[in-house]
Amino acid sequence: LVEGAREIDYERPYAVLGGPGTGKSTVLVEAAVRHIVAGGSADSIMFFAPSKDAAAAMRAQIFARLAGDDDYASTGSVVRSVHSWAFAFYRAIRAAAGESSPRLMTGAEHDMAIRELLLGTAQDGNRYWPENVVPALSYVGFARQLRDFILRATERNVSAKDLVDYGERFHRPMWQAAGHFLEEFNQVQRLGVADNLNASELLHATLAALDSPEGQRIVEDQRAKVKLILVDDAHNLDPASAAFIESFMVPGVRTLIAGDPDQCVFHFRGASEDFLDRHAAHDDYRVVLSASHRLAPGAAGGGYSAGPP
């Protein structure tokens, strides 16, 4: 679609915008298939999917299209979630530095660790939480809300000390308490398994590792190898995920970024349209899909017509 629209220039990424069912993901899958059919290596593709399930579905579509192609081979997964890509590079960087492999905590493990520390805090006499919330420290709902708050802070690189400072500055005792809790939580984690990371910490740990000598060498090797970068549901990326992806985006590499700024429904999880809007701001590098293939004409309305602010 993009190749047929105009003379191709890959100095900038192309943004593929469209509403639900307009074929954004299909364009990315088709780009991957055509790259491989034309003789490109599957290992030269970096396809970022919004989730593990979405990655599996897209891999299935690509494999189905390439069924019977004896020339197709890959040493890795063509499509991965952002966190899967980050974990792979972080592990490679640590291995190159002679360090132990990291371990990614599950959401359930993170929840349990937070609940245990909250219970211990309540039993020890509550050192920092406001008195009116002390009865809630043992509730599952409180622990989950605290976990969400901590994850959002981590995604924006807000430290425990920053939370305490913000709480004092803006007279938010709950922010101060959350900062003290996060500091204590991090100390407990450091006493346990090394590099036992949650998903948000993983991205920041990876970004920091990319700046190391081993990380810079691995990034340069990957940039030299990659020929096609595909990003789906870019409107739901958080800032750390966007920064990680942009580490591999260089002028001259074919890059397609698909999304819809009107569909960002995960702000409460740290999602931001900034990455998509930034790369969709150039008229010559923006493609808009306006026909819905999922909805009937009445439900689809007048089609999609959008651009960045």
Side-chain angles (χ1 to χ4, degrees), residues 79-155:
V79 192
R80 297 186 182 189
S81 68
V82 177
H83 290 93
S84 178
W85 280 110
F87 186 79
F89 279 97
Y90 187 48
R91 182 172 55 191
I93 292 169
R94 290 187 63 86
E99 300 175 353
S100 60
S101 294
R103 179 179 178 275
L104 188 60
M105 293 177 69
T106 66
E109 288 176 322
H110 197 198
D111 274 343
M112 183 57 67
I114 288 176
R115 288 195 66 194
E116 288 177 349
L117 187 55
L118 281 173
L119 289 172
T121 300
Q123 293 169 358
D124 291 344
N126 176 40
R127 293 179 296 281
Y128 42 76
W129 289 103
E131 288 300 323
N132 64 317
V133 302
V134 172
L137 295 183
S138 61
Y139 291 174
V140 174
F142 185 89
R144 288 177 177 171
Q145 290 294 317
L146 178 59
R147 175 174 178 260
D148 285 343
F149 182 82
I150 289 173
L151 288 176
R152 301 297 79 77
T154 303
E155 286 165 355

Side-chain angles (χ1 to χ4, degrees), residues 95-273:
E99 300 175 353
S100 60
S101 294
R103 179 179 178 275
L104 188 60
M105 293 177 69
T106 66
E109 288 176 322
H110 197 198
D111 274 343
M112 183 57 67
I114 288 176
R115 288 195 66 194
E116 288 177 349
L117 187 55
L118 281 173
L119 289 172
T121 300
Q123 293 169 358
D124 291 344
N126 176 40
R127 293 179 296 281
Y128 42 76
W129 289 103
E131 288 300 323
N132 64 317
V133 302
V134 172
L137 295 183
S138 61
Y139 291 174
V140 174
F142 185 89
R144 288 177 177 171
Q145 290 294 317
L146 178 59
R147 175 174 178 260
D148 285 343
F149 182 82
I150 289 173
L151 288 176
R152 301 297 79 77
T154 303
E155 286 165 355
R156 280 157 174 74
N157 209 23
V158 176
S159 68
K161 183 179 183 303
D162 291 335
L163 283 176
V164 174
D165 291 343
Y166 290 151
E168 292 176 349
R169 186 187 313 171
F170 298 105
H171 308 291
R172 298 275 188 166
M174 286 293 286
W175 293 4
Q176 290 179 257
H180 290 305
F181 175 87
L182 180 57
E183 182 179 15
E184 187 173 354
F185 181 83
N186 290 337
Q187 290 173 350
V188 171
Q189 290 300 108
R190 283 194 290 269
L191 293 174
V193 181
D195 285 320
N196 200 15
L197 305 172
N198 63 49
S200 297
E201 291 170 333
L202 168 66
L203 282 164
H204 285 288
T206 304
L207 289 173
L210 293 180
D211 288 332
S212 68
E214 295 83 6
Q216 291 176 1
R217 184 171 64 252
I218 288 175
V219 169
E220 289 302 319
D221 290 344
Q222 182 67 11
R223 286 175 176 171
K225 181 175 71 172
V226 69
K227 305 300 180 186
L228 177 63
I229 296 176
L230 305 169
V231 185
D232 199 19
D233 277 5
H235 51 273
N236 282 330
L237 292 174
D238 62 75
S241 297
F244 172 70
I245 294 172
E246 287 180 325
S247 299
F248 303 97
M249 292 167 50
V250 293
V253 173
R254 185 183 178 199
T255 303
L256 302 179
I257 301 171
D260 177 5
D262 295 330
Q263 287 190 65
C264 186
V265 296
F266 292 122
H267 287 120
F268 67 97
R269 292 184 180 175
S272 170
E273 305 94 328

Side-chain angles (χ1 to χ4, degrees), residues 273-295:
E273 305 94 328
D274 290 349
F275 172 78
L276 178 61
D277 287 344
R278 184 164 62 250
H279 292 291
H282 306 276
D283 292 342
D284 292 339
Y285 296 87
R286 183 171 66 243
V287 177
V288 176
L289 307 179
S290 58
S292 176
H293 304 284
R294 184 185 304 165
L295 304 175

